Amino acid sequence: MQIHPSEEKSSIESKIGLLSPKRMSPEKRERQIVDHAIAFFAKHGFDGQLRTLTEDLGITHTLLYHYFPTKADLVERVYQEVVVGRWKPEWQDLLSDKKKSTESKFVEFYIDYAKTILTHDFVRILIFSGLSDKLFSDRFFKLLQTNILPLLIFETRKYCNFKSERVSSEKEMELLLGLHGGIFYLGVRRWIYGASFQSETNLMSDEDIIKDRVASYLLSAKHLLQEKKYHE
């Protein structure tokens, strides 16, 4: 008689190690481990000891390694959940929509981007990654460089009536990264520093802040790209 994989895993769980009597299906156990791992890395960074994670879960190291044989396997799964699972291909469709104005596309994109990306877990994990192995941060920035930033540069040039097939200049990219980084800083200020510089009675919404920053960026870009040297 063949044993179904889920039954085999359940049998293994009973043999190798729960620290508590609670049992759950392999799928639920794996989901539990991943959810706790995301919260764990967001709190402790990637140098955190997995012993703490297993103690919080009430399982043994052996059981954890049954689902994720190495720490790298667990980190990769967290990356898939936190980054890949939240990335929206429709952002590229939005920024390529010829029916919308440049400003409306920027605002719509960054409002949705902020709601999707600037979460407690994502911001803290990305910062921790930048301070350690850069696994998350390098791969995430590669996504931006490949799929989003070129579209934003193109839209900026269109808004400024600047026709050029040249690769974006350092000034253009730095100006754009000032906008992008300023919006990301909303998440840093909230989830890293826990600081607010607004009065409690007159808080600006993230949407209003993003609208102001987009308008300021486009105004600055128009001034920059109207300089004579960019048209020579």
Side-chain angles (χ1 to χ4, degrees):
M1 180 181 69
Q2 289 187 333
I3 299 177
H4 189 276
S6 62
E7 294 178 353
E8 182 180 6
K9 281 190 174 182
S10 296
S11 176
I12 291 174
E13 279 208 8
S14 66
K15 293 178 180 178
I16 64 177
L18 288 172
L19 299 179
S20 67
K22 186 176 181 179
R23 296 286 187 269
M24 60 179 64
S25 70
E27 293 78 16
K28 287 185 178 180
R29 176 66 68 191
E30 184 173 319
R31 181 74 259 164
Q32 181 199 42
I33 291 172
V34 172
D35 289 343
H36 275 70
I38 291 171
F40 176 80
F41 290 131
K43 181 179 181 180
H44 301 285
F46 295 102
D47 295 328
Q49 298 295 314
L50 292 186
R51 182 177 302 279
T52 304
L53 174 61
T54 56
E55 289 174 355
D56 290 345
L57 282 165
I59 64 174
T60 65
H61 263 45
T62 305
L63 183 56
L64 173 65
Y65 291 143
H66 172 70
Y67 287 90
F68 299 98
T70 67
K71 185 176 181 179
D73 291 326
L74 182 58
V75 170
E76 174 61 25
R77 176 60 182 277
V78 169
Y79 176 82
Q80 294 297 321
E81 293 277 338
V82 173
V83 177
V84 177
R86 298 183 187 186
W87 187 266
K88 294 184 178 181
E90 53 263 38
W91 287 335
Q92 292 163 260
D93 297 332
L94 166 63
L95 294 173
S96 300
D97 189 343
K98 295 181 180 179
K99 297 179 181 179
K100 296 178 181 290
S101 69
T102 295
E103 186 168 5
S104 66
K105 283 192 273 191
F106 268 72
V107 170
E108 190 174 339
F109 163 68
Y110 273 116
I111 286 177
D112 192 51
Y113 176 86
K115 289 178 180 178
T116 304
I117 295 297
L118 302 187
T119 64
H120 171 274
D121 295 339
F122 181 92
V123 170
R124 292 184 61 85
I125 286 175
L126 192 72
I127 295 296
F128 275 126
S129 174
L131 294 172
S132 56
D133 60 9
K134 294 182 171 58
L135 171 66
F136 274 54
S137 53
D138 283 354
R139 292 169 72 180
F140 179 67
F141 292 144
K142 185 67 174 179
L143 273 175
L144 287 173
Q145 287 177 305
T146 302
N147 300 303
I148 297 298
L149 298 186
L151 292 174
L152 294 174
I153 290 290
F154 176 83
E155 283 298 318
T156 301
R157 288 180 171 184
K158 186 175 71 172
Y159 179 84
C160 298
N161 295 315
F162 176 60
K163 297 179 181 180
S164 175
E165 298 298 327
R166 290 183 295 177
V167 175
S168 59
S169 67
E170 290 185 6
K171 274 194 173 184
E172 285 179 282
M173 186 55 70
E174 285 300 324
L175 192 64
L176 176 58
L177 291 176
L179 168 66
H180 194 87
I183 291 172
F184 183 75
Y185 185 70
L186 293 173
V188 173
R189 195 168 67 191
R190 182 172 297 135
W191 303 121
I192 302 296
Y193 300 128
S196 174
F197 298 93
Q198 301 183 39
S199 66
E200 294 182 0
T201 58
N202 190 29
L203 291 174
M204 284 185 69
S205 67
D206 286 354
E207 289 82 357
D208 287 337
I209 293 172
I210 288 170
K211 288 176 183 177
D212 285 349
R213 290 188 176 175
V214 166
S216 178
Y217 162 75
L218 291 175
L219 184 65
S220 298
K222 181 171 286 190
H223 175 74
L224 172 69
L225 294 182
Q226 284 177 344
E227 292 182 11
K228 183 179 178 181
K229 64 181 178 180
Y230 281 101
H231 296 271
E232 295 176 344

